[in-house]
Amino acid sequence: MINAARAVSQASARAGAKRVHRLIKNGDIDSLWTFDSVGLEALKVAKQAGVRSILDQTIGHMASLDKVLREEAKKNPQYFPNGASPIPISVIERQIEELAVADAIVVGSDFAAGTLHENGVSLDKITVLRYGFDENLFDEPSTRRTPRNRPIKFLMVGSINPRKGPQYLFEAFRSISPAAAEIHIVGPMEIDPSLIPRDMPHLHIHPSVARKDVPHVMKTADCLILPSLFEGCSLSLHEGVASGLPIIHSTSAGDGIVNGNGLVLDGVSGDSVLEAVTKIIDEPTLIEEWSDRSCALASSHTAAGYRERVKRYYLQ
């Protein structure tokens, strides 16, 4: 199925390159903006025509992701029943060629930029343009009040797979009293359901929801947490700010999010997650303090702001 999807994607990329060629030939475009994994053919057309090209790299370097997944498979082999599935060398090679051909590259976080640089891409070629939430979906952010006489409700929004780090939430919350906190994970199940602990009453797994329903899901939470191992930058982090939520996340989930409105994990492990969650349990007034700060920051995390950053970059 994955190979079939990849074949369809590449066929679409070739068709897109032909359209780009026609547009350039007709003098209809003077620059090209395309996306990773589907842009190579169009980038080559632009390069041959002397047209400026920009690659929008939505995730970090695949060679770095491959390394992360292989290391994680050694730590938690139960989440990789067939062993670590390496990123196909053809995918990595295609990405390397895209990065080389493009005149410029934009990414959503310093973390993503760092993975490109560690794989040979010059920092001079990379610009970080942080994403934003869809303000058409989210109301004005609201401050979370300090929870009293109930467990603190932590929320993770994202696919349930080892790259997103739910295994470390399971490990951490096993050491936390159900009376103190609960963890809700909302997203599609991409691991064997037997790996979901059945003896943790404060662990709640919910099916994936439509994007339009994410604001409602976030309104019910006290704190957003994302211990992801690898991203470009998780959009749910920006949406958490839009909701006025305190944020706990790993650096590799996306940076530039926490500024007095939460904390960044010291690495991704059960211990680091436990330490962060315990801090809030011990100091629940942090929820209101950090939530106030997220509310104040929300206007700088909008999609309109992102579009303006893209526009300024594109016109420079």
Side-chain angles (χ1 to χ4, degrees):
M1 181 65 73
I2 293 176
N3 288 335
R6 188 174 297 126
V8 170
S9 175
Q10 291 180 3
S12 176
R14 290 192 293 272
K18 291 180 180 179
R19 290 193 292 272
V20 168
H21 176 73
R22 288 196 296 271
L23 289 169
I24 291 175
K25 187 176 181 180
N26 293 336
D28 293 331
I29 61 174
D30 56 12
S31 60
L32 170 72
W33 187 298
T34 190
F35 293 86
D36 57 296
S37 81
V38 297
L40 179 57
E41 291 77 10
L43 288 167
K44 287 181 175 180
V45 169
K47 177 68 74 175
Q48 291 171 355
V51 169
R52 175 195 183 207
S53 64
I54 301 165
L55 176 65
D56 197 328
Q57 183 68 39
T58 60
I59 194 168
H61 202 286
M62 288 296 173
S64 293
L65 174 57
D66 182 70
K67 180 181 178 181
V68 166
L69 292 178
R70 289 177 184 273
E71 291 176 351
E72 184 61 23
K74 294 177 182 177
K75 296 176 184 177
N76 289 294
Q78 67 273 29
Y79 289 91
F80 299 83
N82 300 316
S85 298
I87 304 298
I89 187 64
S90 60
V91 171
I92 296 175
E93 289 176 344
R94 180 182 176 87
Q95 184 185 55
I96 289 172
E97 192 171 3
E98 283 180 336
L99 294 167
V101 173
D103 294 317
I105 303 158
V106 296
V107 293
S109 68
D110 291 332
F111 170 78
T115 68
L116 301 187
H117 182 55
E118 71 186 19
N119 284 281
V121 181
S122 171
L123 288 176
D124 293 338
K125 196 173 182 178
I126 306 169
T127 299
V128 176
L129 297 177
R130 304 195 191 284
Y131 304 138
F133 66 87
D134 185 348
E135 54 267 53
N136 294 317
L137 293 180
F138 288 82
D139 298 327
E140 288 295 316
S142 57
T143 299
R144 300 307 191 276
R145 300 306 175 191
T146 301
R148 302 187 188 282
N149 303 315
R150 66 171 177 82
I152 297 170
K153 185 175 180 180
F154 291 85
L155 170 69
M156 170 184 153
V157 177
S159 300
I160 304 173
N161 63 48
R163 179 172 69 84
K164 295 287 187 176
Q167 61 272 31
Y168 296 110
L169 292 175
F170 301 156
E171 181 182 337
F173 274 82
R174 187 169 290 284
S175 299
I176 294 171
S177 167
E182 55 190 37
I183 177 67
H184 293 253
I185 303 179
V186 178
M189 181 75 70
E190 296 179 1
I191 59 174
D192 190 322
S194 67
L195 293 171
I196 304 297
R198 304 300 177 187
D199 58 345
M200 294 171 58
H202 51 330
L203 168 63
H204 304 274
I205 305 295
H206 307 273
S208 181
V209 300
R211 178 59 59 187
K212 65 180 179 63
D213 296 322
V214 169
H216 173 72
V217 169
M218 290 191 170
K219 279 184 177 180
T220 67
D222 295 312
C223 183
L224 185 69
I225 184 167
L226 184 56
S228 182
L229 298 171
F230 199 93
E231 300 277 356
C233 180
S234 174
L235 184 58
S236 67
L237 295 178
H238 294 280
E239 293 174 335
V241 176
S243 300
L245 282 170
I247 310 288
I248 296 173
H249 71 85
S250 58
T251 299
S252 45
D255 41 56
I257 310 299
V258 168
N259 180 12
N261 60 323
L263 58 84
V264 179
L265 296 173
D266 183 17
V268 181
S269 67
D271 287 342
S272 67
V273 172
L274 178 59
E275 180 180 356
V277 171
T278 300
K279 180 177 180 64
I280 292 180
I281 292 172
D282 291 344
E283 302 177 63
T285 56
L286 286 173
I287 290 177
E288 191 165 334
E289 177 185 330
W290 289 349
S291 178
D292 272 336
R293 182 59 179 160
S294 275
C295 290
L297 291 170
S299 62
S300 63
H301 287 261
T302 64
Y306 171 68
R307 290 192 295 271
E308 182 60 30
R309 289 189 290 276
V310 168
K311 180 181 177 181
R312 288 198 303 267
Y313 171 79
Y314 192 75
L315 293 177
Q316 69 183 9

